[in-house]
Amino acid sequence: MKIADVEVAKAVIAHEAVDCFLGKEETASKQPAKLTSCTGGVFWGKPGEEWPKNSNGAPLIPWLQIVCTEMKGLYGPFYGRQAVCFYIDGEFIEAEALSTQESGDFVVREYLLDEKLTPLVRPAGLERHKFHQVKWQKTSDYPSISKYYKLFEDSVYSALCDDKRRKYVNRSGIKIGGWPTPVQTDQRYPGAFDLQIDITENYMYGDSGVGYLRSSGGVWYVMFECC
């Protein structure tokens, strides 16, 4: 039997809350001298480490640098890490890929807490990929309302979709943990991915594309969906 009461429906959604770290891109500004989470700008790495390039020798876009020490309670591939840096080819067209550490279309570099890091030398050709600081907020995350299409009566489902002040919402954007934001496929559950990267000022996949990332054995997998 479908749920026919709006308040009961809200309680069902509220019961499925999980924590996530939501990253908000700030307006482009001058990059500080200290290590910080960001998109674009200059990413950090070990002394002597070079900026990653694709197979044709072109520099990769600085997609997202996560400074793990800016958050408390991180788990999974971010636990015990100082920073994790994600680079991607600006012409990347595949729907999915596995990461490398040095060169390729999709490069991820992880740094331990005791490693000394310094700003890398950024090659020419990345001028339009400006620094945007990413600030993190720990918050509750909920499934997309589309998850309940078959569970709620049509009138209840429509009322919740139209409620602009609805509290129990799925958080889109840059997100560690939480409920993945569905685009084409059905709602996936927490834990299916470790990180979600929506459109940023510096990189967009296809039309409103979202990248879903997970780590296994030190290798990252990215899968994109777009409208």
Side-chain angles (χ1 to χ4, degrees):
M1 181 179 294
K2 291 186 175 184
I3 294 174
D5 184 278
V6 170
E7 295 306 314
V8 173
K10 289 181 179 179
V12 169
I13 301 174
H15 183 70
E16 298 202 82
V18 294
D19 287 337
C20 74
F21 289 92
L22 190 65
K24 180 182 178 182
E25 276 188 304
E26 300 290 309
T27 302
S29 60
K30 182 178 179 180
Q31 187 160 0
K34 67 177 183 177
L35 177 64
T36 187
S37 296
C38 62
T39 61
V42 176
F43 281 11
W44 288 43
K46 292 181 287 188
E49 198 169 34
E50 294 186 354
W51 195 277
K53 299 177 181 179
N54 64 17
S55 57
N56 295 320
L60 299 184
I61 291 173
W63 192 14
L64 175 65
Q65 177 171 270
I66 297 176
V67 178
C68 306
T69 53
E70 293 176 342
M71 291 161 275
K72 293 182 179 180
L74 281 178
Y75 48 85
F78 303 103
Y79 178 77
R81 298 287 188 272
Q82 180 180 182
V84 183
C85 299
F86 300 86
Y87 301 83
I88 196 162
D89 187 348
E91 303 300 323
F92 186 80
I93 59 173
E94 303 297 328
E96 56 187 70
L98 293 175
S99 71
T100 63
Q101 294 183 348
E102 299 302 327
S103 63
D105 293 335
F106 173 50
V107 170
V108 181
R109 293 176 177 173
E110 301 176 341
Y111 302 101
L112 299 176
L113 292 171
D114 60 354
E115 289 188 285
K116 179 181 178 181
L117 301 182
T118 187
L120 299 181
V121 176
R122 187 168 115 149
L126 297 173
E127 289 77 15
R128 69 185 183 89
H129 299 289
K130 297 180 180 179
F131 167 81
H132 293 261
Q133 185 172 1
V134 174
K135 294 187 177 180
W136 301 98
Q137 176 188 8
K138 189 174 184 180
T139 186
S140 295
D141 195 30
Y142 304 88
S144 168
I145 189 65
S146 62
K147 179 177 183 287
Y148 304 101
Y149 180 73
K150 295 182 179 179
L151 181 62
F152 299 163
E153 288 284 358
D154 290 348
S155 59
V156 171
Y157 182 81
S158 296
L160 291 175
C161 288
D162 295 339
D163 185 1
K164 303 303 181 183
R165 296 181 296 175
R166 179 162 48 92
K167 178 181 178 181
Y168 309 123
V169 297
N170 180 260
R171 313 289 182 178
S172 60
I174 300 171
K175 180 167 62 178
I176 297 174
W179 288 83
T181 302
V183 178
Q184 291 277 6
T185 57
D186 293 336
Q187 175 70 75
R188 293 182 176 87
Y189 283 83
F193 300 100
D194 299 302
L195 171 68
Q196 170 182 303
I197 309 178
D198 208 332
I199 295 170
T200 71
E201 291 288 339
N202 285 294
Y203 180 75
M204 180 176 71
Y205 179 88
D207 183 9
S208 303
V210 176
Y212 309 93
L213 303 94
R214 67 168 181 261
S215 174
S216 178
V219 176
W220 283 83
Y221 163 77
V222 61
M223 180 188 75
F224 286 96
E225 289 184 359
C226 60
C227 297

